[in-house]
Every structure is written in structure tokens, then in C-alpha cells.
Amino acid sequence: MNPDQPRHARRIPLVLALLLAVLAGLTMSAQGRVNGALGARLGDGLAAAVVSFGTGLVLVAALTVLPSGVRRALKRVLPAVRGRKFPAWYLFAGVSGAFLVMSQGVAVGVVGIALFTVAVVAGQSVSGLLVDRMGLGPGGRKYVTLLRVLSAVLTLVAVAWAVSPKFAAAGSAQAWLPVALPLAAGFLQSFQQALNGTQTKHYGSPLPATLINFIVGFVLLCLAWLVKLATAGPAGALPAQWWYYLGGPLGCFFIVVAAVVVGSLGVLLTGLGMIAGQLLGALLLDALFPAPGSVITAATVLGTLLALAAMVLATLPWRPTALPARLRKAPGRARSARSSR
């Protein structure tokens, strides 16, 4: 086999792959809590995002440069762009990741990790319909089914239900403005996954696309932070506790695990397992380690469960018609056969 050609990932057992997908979702919830705590400690969510992306960039760069197979995959980036395997603007998928990490640093300390996660899932479920219809991902264009539309609507209802305690406790702008950030971040996530999936298909490894994501996101966040520094002054001093700097490595773990299990589970089951891990992890974190602004009521729990049920609903098969096979294959000949009788 030519070493310059992409290699296919090995399949792993179904149960193990599902457990890893749920673990990746739990990791993403932990990342949100860490970045939110760092943002509150610094008094600057943007500075927290820069720190998180910076540590993640160092780790991904090491993982990309050290293995020889990944270095070969990295050499396929420029030929893929020059050969127009995908539009060059796909390389800017990291903008979405930067916005997500920034929203973690700003919003998690205000609304809590549970409501933050439900809002991200809601935005992602809605944009997933659009991304599939546009055909931006490696699987090409997919039709919008009735069950998928119903899933997106139910997820939005779930967000409104879960956020209702926070909405009742404060004014409308105070309650919904922090939730708008994770909603927008979740909406962009489907685009990022589709663009990264297409790049990975041509590179033969997820790490080159991941490295490009971190570079683009880090540069963008640094530029935004410099503007904020010039207008609002510096953030607080960096904390001495080591766990404040786990946001970047946790994000790397989430991306790598997703890349490993998607070949065995497929995109749909991988996403479902991660969403389950995110929602369950968010509730556990807010219940066991509550942060300022966290609100957990029956509505929060039931809204989260409804969002999870909506994701399950999206996996169910639905076909608009159930015609006999002979009519689907040759409708013209079937009609002419009936007319000749």
C-alpha cells in the first residue's frame, strides 16, 4: 500500500465504541465547566478562551508532528486544497470551535453547565437539518424527513422548558441573552463537524483538520482579545491551580475519541452517544459541583430528558412512501402492463 494514501480506521466493538462516545460527551461537559470557571476567575471569558485554545494547540501540534503517519497526512492538506477536493474556506472551520469555547467562558458561569449544554444541543439539532440538506458533509446531501423536523422542534421546546426557571427568576433579557450564545455556538457546530469530516476524508486522519482548527481559532481569539485588552484593560491574574488549564486537553480528547469511534458507529450513533454524555454530564456537574448561577429544578431535568428523547427520535427511520418494489424500480413498465390488460 502506498504510504501517501489515506488508511481506513480499524473497527472496534460496538459496546466499547458507544461507551467511548458517551465518555467523549461527558468530557465536553467537563470542558465547559473548566472554561466557565476560568472565565469567572479571570473576569474575562475571552481571555479564558485564549488560554484554553492555546493549551489545546500545543497538545494537538505535538500529536500531529510526532507520529510519522500523521505527518504524511499533514502533507496532503495543500494538494487537497489545490486539487479543489473541497472549497478552501473549509479550512476556517475552527472559527466555530473558537466561538464555542468563548461562549463557555462567558455563559457557563451565568446559566450553569446543564442549561448551557441543552442550548448547544438545540442549536446543533436545528443546524444539522440545514447542513444535511446542503450536503456540506462527507456523506453528501440528505433529505429532511418529518421525524428529523419534529426532533428539532421538540429540542427547541426542551430548551424553553429547561431554561424556564432561570427565565422566571430574572428579566427576559437577563435570562435569554446568556442562552443565546450557546444556541449560536451549537448552531455553528454542525457546520464545523461537516467541514472537518470532509477534510478528514481526504487527509486520511482527523489530526490535520484538528490542528488547522486550533490554529485558526487561536489566532482569531488572540486578535479579539487584543482588541478587548486595548479597550477594557487586562483580565485578572492567571490562577495557580492546575485544573483551570484542562479545557484545551479535554477538547483534544473529545475530538480524538470522536474520530476513533465514528468509523465503527457512524455519524448518527456517535452523535447520539455524545449528546447523551453531554446532557448527563451537565446534570451531574450542576448537581454534584454547583457553580454560581446554576439552576436545577424539575423543569431543568425534564427539559433535558425531552432534548435527549428528541435526539433518539431523529434516529428512527421514516419513509414517505411504501410502494411495492416492482413499482419503485420500473413504474413506467408497471403502468403500461396494467393498461394492456
Side-chain angles (χ1 to χ4, degrees):
M1 179 178 178
N2 188 344
D4 293 330
Q5 296 297 322
R7 296 181 179 179
H8 297 286
R10 294 181 179 178
R11 297 182 64 86
I12 58 179
L14 177 62
V15 175
L16 178 58
L18 282 172
L19 290 176
L20 287 173
V22 173
L23 178 61
L26 289 168
T27 303
M28 189 173 185
S29 293
Q31 182 198 35
R33 171 57 66 87
V34 170
N35 287 340
L38 181 59
R41 178 67 178 268
L42 297 177
D44 189 341
L46 191 56
V50 172
V51 173
S52 179
F53 247 74
T55 55
L57 175 59
V58 172
L59 180 57
V60 173
L63 292 174
T64 304
V65 173
L66 294 179
S68 59
V70 179
R71 291 201 303 271
R72 287 194 296 267
L74 192 60
K75 294 178 181 178
R76 302 186 190 113
V77 174
L78 286 180
V81 175
R82 291 171 179 171
R84 298 184 179 181
K85 302 294 185 181
F86 51 82
W89 59 268
Y90 275 38
L91 299 177
F92 293 92
V95 173
S96 173
F99 187 78
L100 174 65
V101 173
M102 184 272 294
S103 65
Q104 288 174 341
V106 172
V108 169
V110 179
V111 302
I113 189 62
L115 295 185
F116 179 91
T117 302
V118 173
V120 169
V121 170
Q124 189 172 354
S125 66
V126 174
S127 64
L129 296 173
L130 178 61
V131 171
D132 276 349
R133 191 67 185 91
M134 295 173 64
L136 295 179
R141 182 173 298 180
K142 298 180 181 179
Y143 290 102
V144 177
T145 65
L146 178 61
L147 286 181
R148 295 197 69 192
V149 173
L150 181 60
S151 171
V153 173
L154 284 179
T155 307
L156 291 177
V157 173
V159 171
W161 193 6
V163 81
S164 59
K166 190 74 177 180
F167 182 78
S172 59
Q174 292 175 323
W176 284 102
L177 184 58
V179 179
L181 282 176
L183 274 172
F187 184 85
L188 293 175
Q189 281 298 292
S190 293
F191 290 90
Q192 183 185 29
Q193 292 173 1
L195 304 188
N196 285 341
T198 300
Q199 293 181 67
T200 299
K201 177 182 177 181
H202 295 286
Y203 302 156
S205 169
L207 285 178
T210 303
L211 177 62
I212 296 171
N213 274 218
F214 270 92
I215 292 174
V216 170
F218 183 70
V219 171
L220 179 65
L221 288 171
C222 284
L223 292 176
W225 179 73
L226 288 175
V227 173
K228 186 177 185 300
L229 180 64
T231 56
L238 291 173
Q241 293 86 346
W242 59 270
W243 61 269
Y244 279 106
Y245 305 97
L246 289 178
L250 287 172
C252 296
F253 179 83
F254 171 82
I255 295 173
V256 170
V257 170
V260 170
V261 302
V262 72
S264 300
L265 295 178
V267 176
L268 191 61
L269 279 179
T270 300
L272 180 61
M274 290 181 178
I275 287 171
Q278 288 178 60
L279 296 178
L280 294 175
L283 281 178
L284 288 175
L285 285 170
D286 272 354
L288 300 177
F289 306 100
S294 300
V295 177
I296 296 183
T297 65
T300 306
V301 176
L302 293 176
T304 300
L305 293 177
L306 180 59
L308 182 57
M311 294 301 100
V312 175
L313 184 64
T315 69
L316 300 178
W318 181 83
R319 295 179 181 178
T321 59
L323 295 175
R326 63 185 183 88
L327 295 181
R328 291 198 303 268
K329 291 180 180 179
R333 284 185 290 178
R335 285 194 299 266
S336 61
R338 286 196 302 266
S339 61
S340 62
R341 293 177 183 174

